[in-house]
Amino acid sequence: VEASKASQAGYTLDKRCPVVVKDLRRETRFSAPPLLKDHGVVSGVSVPMIYGEEVYGVLGVHTRSYREFTESEINFLQAIANTVTMAVARREAEEKLHRYAVELERSNRLKELFTDIMRHDLHNPLAVIKGISELLSEEDASEEVTLGLRTINRNATRVLRMIDDASKLAKLGSADGLVFDRKDLWEIMENVVSNLRFRTDEKEMRVVLENKGECYADVHPSIEDVFDNIVSNAVKYGPKKSQITIGIKDSGDCWLVSVKDTGEGVPDEYKEVIFNRFTRMPKKGVKGTGLGLAIAKRVVELHRGKVWVEDNPSGGSVFCVEIPKSNRRNQ
Ligand SMILES: Nc1ncnc2c1ncn2[C@@H]1O[C@H](COP(=O)(O)OP(=O)(O)OP(=O)(O)O)[C@@H](O)[C@H]1O
Ligand SMILES: [Mg+2]
Protein backbone atom coordinates (compact mmCIF):
# COMPACT_ATOMS: atom_id res chain seq x y z
CA VAL A 1 0.00 0.00 0.00
CA GLU A 2 1.34 3.38 -0.89
CA ALA A 3 2.46 5.50 2.08
CA SER A 4 2.02 8.98 0.66
CA LYS A 5 0.48 11.48 3.03
CA ALA A 6 -2.78 11.22 1.09
CA SER A 7 -3.24 7.58 2.14
CA GLN A 8 -4.26 6.13 5.49
CA ALA A 9 -0.87 4.47 5.91
CA GLY A 10 0.98 7.69 5.12
CA TYR A 11 -1.25 9.67 7.45
CA THR A 12 -0.63 7.16 10.27
CA LEU A 13 3.14 7.34 9.80
CA ASP A 14 2.96 11.11 9.71
CA LYS A 15 0.96 11.29 12.96
CA ARG A 16 2.99 8.47 14.60
CA CYS A 17 -0.07 7.29 16.52
CA PRO A 18 -3.10 5.00 15.98
CA VAL A 19 -5.63 6.35 13.45
CA VAL A 20 -9.25 5.27 13.74
CA VAL A 21 -11.59 5.42 10.74
CA LYS A 22 -15.22 5.22 11.69
CA ASP A 23 -16.63 5.41 8.16
CA LEU A 24 -14.21 5.38 5.25
CA ARG A 25 -16.87 6.77 2.88
CA ARG A 26 -16.99 9.98 4.95
CA GLU A 27 -13.25 10.22 5.56
CA THR A 28 -11.79 13.67 4.87
CA ARG A 29 -8.23 13.41 6.28
CA PHE A 30 -7.04 11.16 3.44
CA SER A 31 -8.50 9.38 0.47
CA ALA A 32 -9.34 5.70 0.69
CA PRO A 33 -6.93 3.55 -1.33
CA PRO A 34 -8.45 1.33 -4.06
CA LEU A 35 -7.52 -1.79 -2.07
CA LEU A 36 -9.85 -0.83 0.79
CA LYS A 37 -12.55 0.54 -1.52
CA ASP A 38 -12.55 -2.64 -3.63
CA HIS A 39 -13.10 -4.68 -0.48
CA GLY A 40 -15.98 -2.48 0.62
CA VAL A 41 -14.22 -1.48 3.83
CA VAL A 42 -16.24 0.77 6.15
CA SER A 43 -14.38 1.01 9.51
CA GLY A 44 -10.80 0.41 10.53
CA VAL A 45 -7.83 1.30 12.67
CA SER A 46 -4.18 1.55 11.70
CA VAL A 47 -1.11 1.78 13.94
CA PRO A 48 2.46 2.77 13.09
CA MET A 49 5.36 0.29 13.23
CA ILE A 50 8.27 2.38 14.41
CA TYR A 51 11.37 1.34 16.35
CA GLY A 52 13.68 4.11 17.45
CA GLU A 53 14.18 6.29 14.38
CA GLU A 54 13.45 3.45 11.99
CA VAL A 55 10.03 3.26 10.28
CA TYR A 56 8.97 -0.27 9.36
CA GLY A 57 5.37 0.17 8.17
CA VAL A 58 1.77 0.32 9.28
CA LEU A 59 -0.41 -2.43 10.70
CA GLY A 60 -4.13 -2.05 9.80
CA VAL A 61 -7.35 -3.81 10.73
CA HIS A 62 -10.51 -3.18 8.68
CA THR A 63 -14.14 -4.27 8.69
CA ARG A 64 -16.79 -4.30 5.97
CA SER A 65 -19.52 -3.23 8.37
CA TYR A 66 -19.60 -0.25 10.72
CA ARG A 67 -17.63 -0.92 13.90
CA GLU A 68 -16.27 1.14 16.76
CA PHE A 69 -12.89 0.19 18.26
CA THR A 70 -12.39 0.30 22.02
CA GLU A 71 -9.27 1.76 23.54
CA SER A 72 -8.09 -1.66 24.73
CA GLU A 73 -8.53 -3.06 21.19
CA ILE A 74 -6.41 -0.22 19.80
CA ASN A 75 -3.77 -0.79 22.49
CA PHE A 76 -3.79 -4.50 21.72
CA LEU A 77 -3.23 -3.81 18.02
CA GLN A 78 -0.39 -1.40 18.83
CA ALA A 79 1.16 -4.04 21.13
CA ILE A 80 1.12 -6.58 18.27
CA ALA A 81 2.66 -4.00 15.93
CA ASN A 82 5.39 -3.23 18.49
CA THR A 83 6.23 -6.91 18.96
CA VAL A 84 6.49 -7.52 15.20
CA THR A 85 8.54 -4.34 14.73
CA MET A 86 10.97 -5.35 17.47
CA ALA A 87 11.37 -8.83 16.00
CA VAL A 88 12.14 -7.35 12.57
CA ALA A 89 14.54 -4.82 14.07
CA ARG A 90 16.34 -7.52 16.04
CA ARG A 91 16.63 -9.68 12.95
CA GLU A 92 18.06 -6.76 11.03
CA ALA A 93 20.57 -6.05 13.79
CA GLU A 94 21.60 -9.72 13.80
CA GLU A 95 22.13 -9.66 10.05
CA LYS A 96 24.18 -6.47 10.33
CA LEU A 97 26.30 -8.05 13.07
CA HIS A 98 26.81 -11.14 10.98
CA ARG A 99 27.90 -9.08 7.96
CA TYR A 100 30.28 -7.15 10.23
CA ALA A 101 31.76 -10.36 11.64
CA VAL A 102 32.34 -11.73 8.13
CA GLU A 103 34.02 -8.47 7.09
CA LEU A 104 36.17 -8.47 10.23
CA GLU A 105 37.28 -12.01 9.62
CA ARG A 106 38.18 -11.12 6.05
CA SER A 107 40.27 -8.14 7.14
CA ASN A 108 41.93 -10.25 9.85
CA ARG A 109 42.83 -12.85 7.26
CA LEU A 110 44.27 -10.07 5.10
CA LYS A 111 46.34 -8.83 8.02
CA GLU A 112 47.62 -12.34 8.67
CA LEU A 113 48.43 -12.76 4.99
CA PHE A 114 50.34 -9.50 4.98
CA THR A 115 52.24 -10.49 8.10
CA ASP A 116 53.08 -13.87 6.56
CA ILE A 117 54.27 -12.27 3.34
CA MET A 118 56.37 -9.84 5.31
CA ARG A 119 57.86 -12.53 7.51
CA HIS A 120 58.41 -15.09 4.81
CA ASP A 121 58.82 -13.39 1.46
CA LEU A 122 60.78 -10.40 2.75
CA HIS A 123 62.54 -11.93 5.71
CA ASN A 124 64.10 -14.87 3.91
CA PRO A 125 65.71 -13.04 0.98
CA LEU A 126 67.00 -10.42 3.40
CA ALA A 127 68.49 -13.07 5.65
CA VAL A 128 70.29 -14.42 2.55
CA ILE A 129 71.65 -10.96 1.71
CA LYS A 130 72.84 -10.50 5.27
CA GLY A 131 74.40 -13.97 5.41
CA ILE A 132 76.28 -13.53 2.14
CA SER A 133 77.53 -10.08 3.11
CA GLU A 134 79.05 -11.74 6.17
CA LEU A 135 80.49 -14.66 4.23
CA LEU A 136 82.22 -12.66 1.53
CA SER A 137 85.81 -12.33 2.50
CA GLU A 138 86.94 -8.82 3.23
CA GLU A 139 90.62 -9.80 3.19
CA ASP A 140 91.46 -9.13 -0.45
CA ALA A 141 88.72 -6.60 -0.99
CA SER A 142 89.37 -2.96 -1.65
CA GLU A 143 88.44 -0.43 0.97
CA GLU A 144 85.45 0.57 -1.12
CA VAL A 145 84.12 -2.98 -1.36
CA THR A 146 84.66 -3.57 2.36
CA LEU A 147 82.72 -0.44 3.17
CA GLY A 148 79.98 -1.54 0.78
CA LEU A 149 79.72 -4.98 2.36
CA ARG A 150 79.48 -3.49 5.84
CA THR A 151 76.80 -1.08 4.71
CA ILE A 152 74.81 -3.92 3.11
CA ASN A 153 75.12 -5.94 6.29
CA ARG A 154 74.14 -3.10 8.59
CA ASN A 155 71.08 -2.21 6.54
CA ALA A 156 69.95 -5.80 6.06
CA THR A 157 70.20 -6.25 9.86
CA ARG A 158 68.16 -3.13 10.38
CA VAL A 159 65.39 -4.13 7.96
CA LEU A 160 65.28 -7.63 9.45
CA ARG A 161 64.70 -6.10 12.86
CA MET A 162 61.97 -3.86 11.45
CA ILE A 163 60.23 -6.89 9.97
CA ASP A 164 60.47 -8.76 13.26
CA ASP A 165 59.09 -5.79 15.18
CA ALA A 166 56.24 -5.20 12.74
CA SER A 167 55.17 -8.83 12.65
CA LYS A 168 55.37 -8.98 16.43
CA LEU A 169 53.06 -5.97 16.62
CA ALA A 170 50.60 -7.55 14.18
CA LYS A 171 50.47 -10.71 16.29
CA LEU A 172 49.78 -8.81 19.48
CA GLY A 173 46.13 -8.29 18.57
CA SER A 174 44.70 -9.83 21.70
CA ALA A 175 45.70 -11.57 24.90
CA ASP A 176 43.84 -14.74 23.83
CA GLY A 177 46.19 -17.67 23.73
CA LEU A 178 49.05 -15.86 25.48
CA VAL A 179 50.60 -17.68 28.42
CA PHE A 180 51.44 -15.60 31.47
CA ASP A 181 54.02 -16.89 33.92
CA ARG A 182 54.86 -15.70 37.43
CA LYS A 183 58.21 -13.95 37.08
CA ASP A 184 60.39 -11.57 39.08
CA LEU A 185 60.50 -8.25 37.20
CA TRP A 186 63.97 -7.49 38.57
CA GLU A 187 65.30 -10.71 37.09
CA ILE A 188 63.94 -9.72 33.66
CA MET A 189 65.32 -6.20 34.01
CA GLU A 190 68.79 -7.43 35.00
CA ASN A 191 68.81 -9.66 31.96
CA VAL A 192 67.89 -6.72 29.72
CA VAL A 193 70.57 -4.51 31.24
CA SER A 194 73.26 -7.16 30.86
CA ASN A 195 72.31 -7.71 27.19
CA LEU A 196 72.78 -3.98 26.62
CA ARG A 197 76.13 -3.84 28.42
CA PHE A 198 78.04 -3.58 25.13
CA ARG A 199 76.12 -0.48 24.12
CA THR A 200 76.28 1.19 27.54
CA ASP A 201 80.03 0.52 27.73
CA GLU A 202 80.43 2.01 24.27
CA LYS A 203 78.81 5.25 25.47
CA GLU A 204 80.51 5.00 28.87
CA MET A 205 77.17 5.12 30.60
CA ARG A 206 76.43 3.98 34.14
CA VAL A 207 73.28 1.95 34.85
CA VAL A 208 72.11 2.16 38.47
CA LEU A 209 69.48 -0.27 39.77
CA GLU A 210 67.54 1.20 42.70
CA ASN A 211 65.43 -0.49 45.42
CA LYS A 212 66.23 -4.01 44.34
CA GLY A 213 64.03 -6.75 45.77
CA GLU A 214 61.56 -9.35 44.59
CA CYS A 215 58.76 -8.06 42.39
CA TYR A 216 56.58 -10.88 41.11
CA ALA A 217 54.09 -10.35 38.29
CA ASP A 218 52.24 -12.64 35.87
CA VAL A 219 53.90 -11.82 32.57
CA HIS A 220 54.29 -12.93 28.98
CA PRO A 221 57.90 -13.26 27.66
CA SER A 222 57.23 -10.18 25.48
CA ILE A 223 57.50 -8.04 28.64
CA GLU A 224 61.27 -8.35 28.18
CA ASP A 225 60.89 -6.50 24.84
CA VAL A 226 59.11 -3.70 26.71
CA PHE A 227 61.98 -3.22 29.14
CA ASP A 228 64.49 -3.67 26.33
CA ASN A 229 62.82 -1.02 24.16
CA ILE A 230 62.67 1.50 26.99
CA VAL A 231 66.19 0.94 28.32
CA SER A 232 67.57 0.87 24.74
CA ASN A 233 65.93 4.24 24.16
CA ALA A 234 67.53 5.62 27.33
CA VAL A 235 70.90 4.42 26.03
CA LYS A 236 70.20 5.71 22.53
CA TYR A 237 68.82 9.11 23.52
CA GLY A 238 70.93 9.67 26.66
CA PRO A 239 74.23 11.58 26.48
CA LYS A 240 77.63 9.93 26.67
CA LYS A 241 79.00 9.31 30.18
CA SER A 242 75.58 9.88 31.70
CA GLN A 243 73.63 7.76 34.16
CA ILE A 244 70.49 5.68 33.65
CA THR A 245 68.56 4.98 36.85
CA ILE A 246 66.19 2.04 36.94
CA GLY A 247 63.82 1.42 39.84
CA ILE A 248 60.86 -0.81 40.66
CA LYS A 249 58.50 0.46 43.35
CA ASP A 250 55.46 -0.94 45.09
CA SER A 251 52.39 1.07 44.06
CA GLY A 252 49.55 -0.86 45.69
CA ASP A 253 48.13 -3.42 43.25
CA CYS A 254 50.92 -2.81 40.76
CA TRP A 255 54.67 -2.60 40.39
CA LEU A 256 55.92 0.73 39.06
CA VAL A 257 58.98 0.32 36.88
CA SER A 258 60.83 3.54 36.07
CA VAL A 259 63.71 4.19 33.69
CA LYS A 260 65.28 7.60 34.13
CA ASP A 261 67.76 9.24 31.75
CA THR A 262 69.37 12.67 31.49
CA GLY A 263 68.87 13.14 27.74
CA GLU A 264 66.91 15.84 25.98
CA GLY A 265 63.61 14.67 27.43
CA VAL A 266 60.23 14.49 25.71
CA PRO A 267 58.29 17.75 25.33
CA ASP A 268 54.62 17.71 26.38
CA GLU A 269 53.26 17.70 22.81
CA TYR A 270 55.14 14.45 22.14
CA LYS A 271 54.41 12.67 25.44
CA GLU A 272 51.46 10.69 24.02
CA VAL A 273 52.20 10.46 20.30
CA ILE A 274 55.60 8.79 20.68
CA PHE A 275 53.64 5.68 21.73
CA ASN A 276 51.99 5.59 18.28
CA ARG A 277 53.50 3.48 15.52
CA PHE A 278 56.20 5.12 13.42
CA THR A 279 56.11 8.37 15.42
CA ARG A 280 59.54 9.84 16.19
CA MET A 281 60.69 13.24 17.35
CA PRO A 282 62.93 15.00 14.85
CA LYS A 283 66.46 14.20 15.97
CA LYS A 284 69.51 14.10 13.82
CA GLY A 285 71.86 11.15 13.86
CA VAL A 286 69.79 8.75 15.98
CA LYS A 287 68.31 5.94 13.93
CA GLY A 288 65.11 4.07 14.67
CA THR A 289 61.83 2.91 13.19
CA GLY A 290 59.46 4.45 15.73
CA LEU A 291 57.96 1.07 16.61
CA GLY A 292 59.67 0.33 19.93
CA LEU A 293 57.29 2.27 22.16
CA ALA A 294 54.19 1.27 20.14
CA ILE A 295 55.06 -2.37 20.76
CA ALA A 296 55.79 -1.59 24.42
CA LYS A 297 52.40 0.07 24.84
CA ARG A 298 50.51 -2.82 23.22
CA VAL A 299 52.32 -5.42 25.32
CA VAL A 300 51.79 -3.48 28.55
CA GLU A 301 48.08 -3.12 27.76
CA LEU A 302 47.84 -6.88 27.24
CA HIS A 303 49.12 -7.14 30.83
CA ARG A 304 46.41 -4.68 31.92
CA GLY A 305 49.13 -2.21 32.76
CA LYS A 306 50.05 1.32 31.72
CA VAL A 307 53.08 3.01 30.20
CA TRP A 308 53.79 6.72 30.05
CA VAL A 309 56.60 9.27 30.13
CA GLU A 310 57.28 12.01 32.68
CA ASP A 311 59.89 14.75 32.92
CA ASN A 312 63.00 14.02 34.92
CA PRO A 313 63.15 17.03 37.33
CA SER A 314 66.89 17.27 36.76
CA GLY A 315 66.53 17.12 32.94
CA GLY A 316 65.75 14.17 30.69
CA SER A 317 62.83 11.77 30.83
CA VAL A 318 61.42 9.05 33.07
CA PHE A 319 59.60 6.22 31.32
CA CYS A 320 57.16 4.51 33.67
CA VAL A 321 55.54 1.09 33.32
CA GLU A 322 52.86 -0.12 35.70
CA ILE A 323 52.30 -3.90 35.79
CA PRO A 324 49.76 -5.61 38.07
CA LYS A 325 51.34 -7.71 40.83
CA SER A 326 51.12 -11.48 40.58
CA ASN A 327 47.97 -12.83 42.19
CA ARG A 328 49.29 -16.39 42.19
CA ARG A 329 50.92 -18.13 45.11
CA ASN A 330 54.65 -18.74 45.04
CA GLN A 331 55.12 -21.89 42.95
N1 LIG B 1 64.54 8.19 26.51
C1 LIG B 1 64.14 9.01 25.53
N2 LIG B 1 64.54 10.31 25.50
C2 LIG B 1 64.15 11.15 24.52
N3 LIG B 1 63.31 10.80 23.52
C3 LIG B 1 62.87 9.54 23.50
C4 LIG B 1 63.24 8.57 24.49
N4 LIG B 1 62.62 7.42 24.20
C5 LIG B 1 61.91 7.63 23.09
N5 LIG B 1 62.04 8.89 22.65
C6 LIG B 1 61.41 9.50 21.47
O1 LIG B 1 60.28 8.72 21.14
C7 LIG B 1 60.38 8.26 19.80
C8 LIG B 1 59.74 6.90 19.67
O2 LIG B 1 60.48 5.92 20.37
P1 LIG B 1 60.46 4.43 19.84
O3 LIG B 1 61.28 3.60 20.74
O4 LIG B 1 59.04 4.06 19.60
O5 LIG B 1 61.13 4.52 18.40
P2 LIG B 1 62.65 4.67 18.01
O6 LIG B 1 63.55 4.55 19.18
O7 LIG B 1 62.73 5.93 17.21
O8 LIG B 1 62.82 3.43 17.02
P3 LIG B 1 62.83 1.87 17.39
O9 LIG B 1 61.60 1.34 16.75
O10 LIG B 1 64.06 1.39 16.73
O11 LIG B 1 62.82 1.74 18.86
C9 LIG B 1 61.85 8.28 19.49
O12 LIG B 1 62.10 8.42 18.11
C10 LIG B 1 62.32 9.49 20.27
O13 LIG B 1 62.07 10.65 19.50
MG1 LIG C 1 63.31 2.81 20.44
Side-chain angles (χ1 to χ4, degrees), residues 159-176:
V159 180
L160 277 172
R161 199 173 75 81
M162 277 169 78
I163 292 172
D164 279 346
D165 281 355
S167 67
K168 231 183 250 168
L169 193 71
K171 271 189 285 177
L172 293 172
S174 83
D176 296 347

mmCIF file of all heavy atoms in Angstrom, residues 159-176:
data_model
loop_
_atom_site.group_PDB
_atom_site.id
_atom_site.type_symbol
_atom_site.label_atom_id
_atom_site.label_comp_id
_atom_site.label_asym_id
_atom_site.label_seq_id
_atom_site.Cartn_x
_atom_site.Cartn_y
_atom_site.Cartn_z
ATOM 1 N N VAL A 159 66.702 -3.808 8.543
ATOM 2 C CA VAL A 159 65.394 -4.133 7.960
ATOM 3 C C VAL A 159 64.850 -5.431 8.555
ATOM 4 O O VAL A 159 63.649 -5.546 8.811
ATOM 5 C CB VAL A 159 65.479 -4.211 6.417
ATOM 6 C CG1 VAL A 159 64.116 -4.537 5.829
ATOM 7 C CG2 VAL A 159 65.990 -2.901 5.855
ATOM 8 N N LEU A 160 65.737 -6.384 8.823
ATOM 9 C CA LEU A 160 65.282 -7.629 9.447
ATOM 10 C C LEU A 160 64.642 -7.345 10.802
ATOM 11 O O LEU A 160 63.614 -7.915 11.147
ATOM 12 C CB LEU A 160 66.465 -8.587 9.645
ATOM 13 C CG LEU A 160 66.839 -9.423 8.425
ATOM 14 C CD1 LEU A 160 68.139 -10.170 8.673
ATOM 15 C CD2 LEU A 160 65.738 -10.424 8.096
ATOM 16 N N ARG A 161 65.244 -6.437 11.545
ATOM 17 C CA ARG A 161 64.697 -6.097 12.861
ATOM 18 C C ARG A 161 63.339 -5.405 12.714
ATOM 19 O O ARG A 161 62.406 -5.670 13.458
ATOM 20 C CB ARG A 161 65.676 -5.211 13.642
ATOM 21 C CG ARG A 161 65.376 -5.219 15.148
ATOM 22 C CD ARG A 161 66.437 -4.488 15.925
ATOM 23 N NE ARG A 161 66.317 -3.057 15.780
ATOM 24 C CZ ARG A 161 65.464 -2.298 16.473
ATOM 25 N NH1 ARG A 161 64.654 -2.859 17.351
ATOM 26 N NH2 ARG A 161 65.416 -1.000 16.287
ATOM 27 N N MET A 162 63.251 -4.537 11.691
ATOM 28 C CA MET A 162 61.971 -3.862 11.454
ATOM 29 C C MET A 162 60.874 -4.879 11.142
ATOM 30 O O MET A 162 59.752 -4.764 11.624
ATOM 31 C CB MET A 162 62.099 -2.906 10.259
ATOM 32 C CG MET A 162 62.680 -1.566 10.627
ATOM 33 S SD MET A 162 63.106 -0.636 9.141
ATOM 34 C CE MET A 162 61.517 -0.062 8.624
ATOM 35 N N ILE A 163 61.220 -5.867 10.333
ATOM 36 C CA ILE A 163 60.231 -6.893 9.970
ATOM 37 C C ILE A 163 59.809 -7.671 11.212
ATOM 38 O O ILE A 163 58.626 -7.911 11.441
ATOM 39 C CB ILE A 163 60.808 -7.848 8.902
ATOM 40 C CG1 ILE A 163 60.986 -7.096 7.578
ATOM 41 C CG2 ILE A 163 59.903 -9.056 8.708
ATOM 42 C CD1 ILE A 163 61.711 -7.885 6.520
ATOM 43 N N ASP A 164 60.791 -8.032 12.032
ATOM 44 C CA ASP A 164 60.473 -8.762 13.259
ATOM 45 C C ASP A 164 59.546 -7.946 14.148
ATOM 46 O O ASP A 164 58.546 -8.445 14.651
ATOM 47 C CB ASP A 164 61.760 -9.081 14.038
ATOM 48 C CG ASP A 164 62.461 -10.299 13.462
ATOM 49 O OD1 ASP A 164 61.816 -11.005 12.673
ATOM 50 O OD2 ASP A 164 63.638 -10.519 13.784
ATOM 51 N N ASP A 165 59.895 -6.667 14.319
ATOM 52 C CA ASP A 165 59.092 -5.793 15.181
ATOM 53 C C ASP A 165 57.674 -5.653 14.645
ATOM 54 O O ASP A 165 56.705 -5.755 15.385
ATOM 55 C CB ASP A 165 59.731 -4.398 15.262
ATOM 56 C CG ASP A 165 60.908 -4.386 16.222
ATOM 57 O OD1 ASP A 165 61.142 -5.426 16.865
ATOM 58 O OD2 ASP A 165 61.581 -3.351 16.321
ATOM 59 N N ALA A 166 57.567 -5.426 13.317
ATOM 60 C CA ALA A 166 56.244 -5.196 12.736
ATOM 61 C C ALA A 166 55.384 -6.456 12.814
ATOM 62 O O ALA A 166 54.194 -6.383 13.117
ATOM 63 C CB ALA A 166 56.379 -4.736 11.292
ATOM 64 N N SER A 167 55.995 -7.616 12.597
ATOM 65 C CA SER A 167 55.165 -8.829 12.647
ATOM 66 C C SER A 167 54.801 -9.169 14.081
ATOM 67 O O SER A 167 53.741 -9.706 14.356
ATOM 68 C CB SER A 167 55.835 -10.008 11.932
ATOM 69 O OG SER A 167 56.972 -10.405 12.622
ATOM 70 N N LYS A 168 55.686 -8.790 15.016
ATOM 71 C CA LYS A 168 55.373 -8.976 16.431
ATOM 72 C C LYS A 168 54.147 -8.130 16.795
ATOM 73 O O LYS A 168 53.221 -8.581 17.433
ATOM 74 C CB LYS A 168 56.563 -8.524 17.276
ATOM 75 C CG LYS A 168 57.019 -9.549 18.292
ATOM 76 C CD LYS A 168 58.146 -8.977 19.123
ATOM 77 C CE LYS A 168 59.467 -9.636 18.821
ATOM 78 N NZ LYS A 168 60.600 -8.909 19.395
ATOM 79 N N LEU A 169 54.161 -6.890 16.318
ATOM 80 C CA LEU A 169 53.063 -5.967 16.616
ATOM 81 C C LEU A 169 51.747 -6.484 16.038
ATOM 82 O O LEU A 169 50.701 -6.401 16.664
ATOM 83 C CB LEU A 169 53.391 -4.591 16.037
ATOM 84 C CG LEU A 169 52.526 -3.446 16.511
ATOM 85 C CD1 LEU A 169 52.829 -3.119 17.952
ATOM 86 C CD2 LEU A 169 52.762 -2.215 15.664
ATOM 87 N N ALA A 170 51.813 -7.038 14.827
ATOM 88 C CA ALA A 170 50.597 -7.551 14.185
ATOM 89 C C ALA A 170 50.035 -8.733 14.958
ATOM 90 O O ALA A 170 48.828 -8.922 15.039
ATOM 91 C CB ALA A 170 50.902 -7.962 12.753
ATOM 92 N N LYS A 171 50.928 -9.528 15.555
ATOM 93 C CA LYS A 171 50.470 -10.712 16.287
ATOM 94 C C LYS A 171 49.875 -10.366 17.639
ATOM 95 O O LYS A 171 49.141 -11.146 18.219
ATOM 96 C CB LYS A 171 51.639 -11.690 16.483
ATOM 97 C CG LYS A 171 51.772 -12.678 15.336
ATOM 98 C CD LYS A 171 52.773 -13.754 15.676
ATOM 99 C CE LYS A 171 54.166 -13.213 15.589
ATOM 100 N NZ LYS A 171 55.213 -14.141 15.959
ATOM 101 N N LEU A 172 50.227 -9.175 18.133
ATOM 102 C CA LEU A 172 49.781 -8.805 19.475
ATOM 103 C C LEU A 172 48.370 -8.244 19.485
ATOM 104 O O LEU A 172 48.071 -7.300 20.182
ATOM 105 C CB LEU A 172 50.746 -7.789 20.092
ATOM 106 C CG LEU A 172 52.132 -8.322 20.403
ATOM 107 C CD1 LEU A 172 53.043 -7.201 20.829
ATOM 108 C CD2 LEU A 172 52.072 -9.375 21.487
ATOM 109 N N GLY A 173 47.493 -8.800 18.671
ATOM 110 C CA GLY A 173 46.133 -8.289 18.572
ATOM 111 C C GLY A 173 45.338 -8.469 19.847
ATOM 112 O O GLY A 173 44.625 -7.592 20.283
ATOM 113 N N SER A 174 45.476 -9.616 20.484
ATOM 114 C CA SER A 174 44.695 -9.831 21.700
ATOM 115 C C SER A 174 45.451 -10.759 22.640
ATOM 116 O O SER A 174 46.393 -11.442 22.236
ATOM 117 C CB SER A 174 43.345 -10.449 21.354
ATOM 118 O OG SER A 174 43.502 -11.844 21.224
ATOM 119 N N ALA A 175 45.000 -10.776 23.891
ATOM 120 C CA ALA A 175 45.696 -11.571 24.905
ATOM 121 C C ALA A 175 45.300 -13.048 24.829
ATOM 122 O O ALA A 175 45.879 -13.879 25.506
ATOM 123 C CB ALA A 175 45.397 -11.023 26.290
ATOM 124 N N ASP A 176 44.298 -13.342 23.941
ATOM 125 C CA ASP A 176 43.844 -14.736 23.833
ATOM 126 C C ASP A 176 45.013 -15.623 23.433
ATOM 127 O O ASP A 176 45.738 -15.330 22.493
ATOM 128 C CB ASP A 176 42.759 -14.864 22.761
ATOM 129 C CG ASP A 176 41.532 -14.067 23.159
ATOM 130 O OD1 ASP A 176 41.472 -13.663 24.330
ATOM 131 O OD2 ASP A 176 40.676 -13.849 22.288
#
